[in-house]
Amino acid sequence: MLNQKGFIRSGVVRMSLFAIMVSFAAGCSSGQDSPDTIGDTVSDVMDNEIEPTDSGLDLAVPDEGGTDLAIDAAPEVHVVPPCVMKIGVGKRDVSPVVEPFEDTNGNNWRDDGEAFTDTNDNDEYDPTYIAGFGPRQAQGIHDPIWSRCMAIESTGQAYLFCATDSIGMGLSHYDRIVARIKELRPQFNLEDSHVTWATTHTHQGPDTQGVWDLMPLEYLDFIDEQTAQAAVEALDSMVPAGIRVVSAEQPDSLVRDIDVPVVIDRNISIIQGVAEDGDVIGTLVSIANHPESGGPDNMKVSSDFPHYLRQKVEEVQGGMAIFFAGALGLMATPVMDWDNTGMWLTEQVGNAYGDIVNQALVDPPAPSCEYMFAAESRPSMKLENFDFWAGIESGLINGFIDYLYGESGDEGAPCGFMGCVDVPVSVVKFGELLTWVNVPGELTPELVLGVYPDPEPVPGEFADAEREPYLEQFIDTPNRFVACLSDTEIGYIYPRYQEDRPNHEHQRNSASPNVAGTLMAGYADLFEDIAASEAAFFGEDSAE
C-alpha cells in the first residue's frame, strides 16, 4: 500500500477492513429485517418516537410476529494512526588533542627528556593513550574520530541510534548522555529504550576505559557532551523519510576467528534512511569484526577500518554513514598476518567493506514506513572477575563505581564477594521488517546464531552446562541488526560451557562466565514486552 509520496506503508490495512465489516454487519444483523425496516427505525429514533436504551443504540424492533429484536450499535473500532516517519543525522568530531614527541628509543612512549610539541601551550606533556594492544602514546591523528547519530521518528515517537569511535565506555557515560539529550530536547519525550549509544571498539582510539591508561576525565566529559550535541543535531534535522533494509555477507578474506571454536557471524546488516525526494540521509552498518587492522605499531589516532568504510559509502550513497560493531567476541579480526598490519591494511579492509555495502544497495527495495517499538531493562550481573572488580574499585576502570552494589565478602551471597552491576539490554523493532538488538559488551556469534560447537582444545570446568538461548530464537523479523558495546562495555560475553581461561586468554576480559545467561534471560523478557506493546497498539489480543 503506497502513500501519496510513494513510500510503502506496512501495517494496518486490516483495521480499515474491520471497520467496513462492522458497518456491513450492522446493516444485516437480522435475517427478518429488511434494510428499509432498519432505516425506518433509525428515522423514528431521530424523530424521538423511540428512546434508545442506556447502553447505546439498542433498539427494540417488533417483527411481524411481535418479537422484539435488539440491534446493537457497532462496537468501538480500534483506530491505528497512519505510519509517518522522519529521519535526521548529526555528528561531532571527538578527536583528542595530540602532542607529538621525539621517540628516541622507539618504545612508543614519551620518556623524560624527550622533546614534544606543546600543542595547548601549558608547558606540560599531555599524553593521548591509545587503547588496544600494548602501551602506546599517540604521535598524531590519522583520521578524525566521531560521535555520529541517526534520529528516526516513527508515528510521533523519536528514537536515536548513535555510535562513537572509542574502545568502549562505562555505564555512567550512557546515563549522562541520555540525561543531557532529554534536557536539551524535552519535547521529544525520549525514554532510555529510545536511545542507543554504542562504541565502535576501535583499537586505534583513545583509552576511554582505563584498561591501558585512562584519558583525562575532562576528555570523557567532552565525548559525552559532543555525543549529546550530535544527537540534538540529528533530532533537529529530521525530515519526512522512510527506511530500507538490505544485508550482505563478509568473506573469508576480511574476517577470521582466532579463538577456537571457530564461529563467525558473516551477516552485514544495513539500514538506510531515505528522504521523500529519494536522497539518502544516512546508512547504518553493523559488521562483526574488530576494528584493529592498524595493528600494534600504529601511533596515530584513528577509527581504524570504519573510517574508510564510512568514507566509501558516503561517496557512493550520499548522506552520513555510521558503523556499529556486531557480534565480534572471541574473536573476530580482519588481520590475517600479525606481521603485516598498518594503516595500509586499514584502508584496504575499510574500502572492501564499503564496496560490499554499496553493492548490496544496488537496485535496493523501496523505502517503507515502519511502526517502531522498544523495550529496555537492566538485569543484575554478578561480577566474577577480580581484575574487573579491582579496576572499578580503584578507579582505573571508569564509569562503574556508582553502579556497584551488594559487595559482601561472602561468595555465597546473591552478589557474591565482588558485588553486582545492573547492565542495560534493549531491543528496538522496526515493524515486521527488522529487529535491532543492543548488547552491552562483545557478544560471541554463538549467542546470535545458536551454533554451539564442542569446546576446544579441551572441555573446561562447565563443559556440560546447559546452552543458553540465542538471539535468533527470539527474533521474528527477516532482518536483524546487532549493535555490540551498546550503552556500556562489560567485556566478552560467551557461552558458559566454553569457560576455560587457562586455554583462552581473552576470556580474562569478561565480567563473568555467567553473564550470557543473565543477559539472554533479560532479552527473553524484552521480546515479550515488545509483543505486548505491539498487540496493544494494534488492538489485538497479545495471547493470540
Side-chain angles (χ1 to χ4, degrees), residues 376-460:
E376 186 257 9
S377 68
R378 297 197 176 190
S380 178
M381 177 189 72
K382 179 180 176 182
L383 280 183
E384 296 180 274
N385 182 325
F386 181 82
D387 292 341
F388 194 1
W389 171 78
I392 292 173
E393 286 285 3
S394 65
L396 293 176
I397 294 179
N398 177 263
F400 288 98
I401 188 63
D402 293 334
Y403 297 83
L404 186 62
Y405 66 92
E407 300 166 273
S408 65
D410 179 7
E411 194 57 43
C415 287
F417 176 82
M418 295 176 243
C420 293
V421 174
D422 295 342
V423 294
V425 292
S426 58
V427 175
V428 183
K429 193 171 180 185
F430 293 70
E432 298 178 358
L433 183 61
L434 176 138
T435 302
W436 179 300
V437 182
N438 288 314
V439 182
E442 299 166 62
L443 191 70
T444 62
E446 288 93 324
L447 293 165
V448 175
L449 306 172
V451 176
Y452 296 118
D454 291 339
E456 297 182 44
V458 295

Side-chain angles (χ1 to χ4, degrees), residues 192-206:
D192 287 3
S193 62
H194 301 148
V195 181
T196 291
W197 174 59
T199 51
T200 63
H201 202 48
T202 175
H203 282 43
Q204 309 299 338

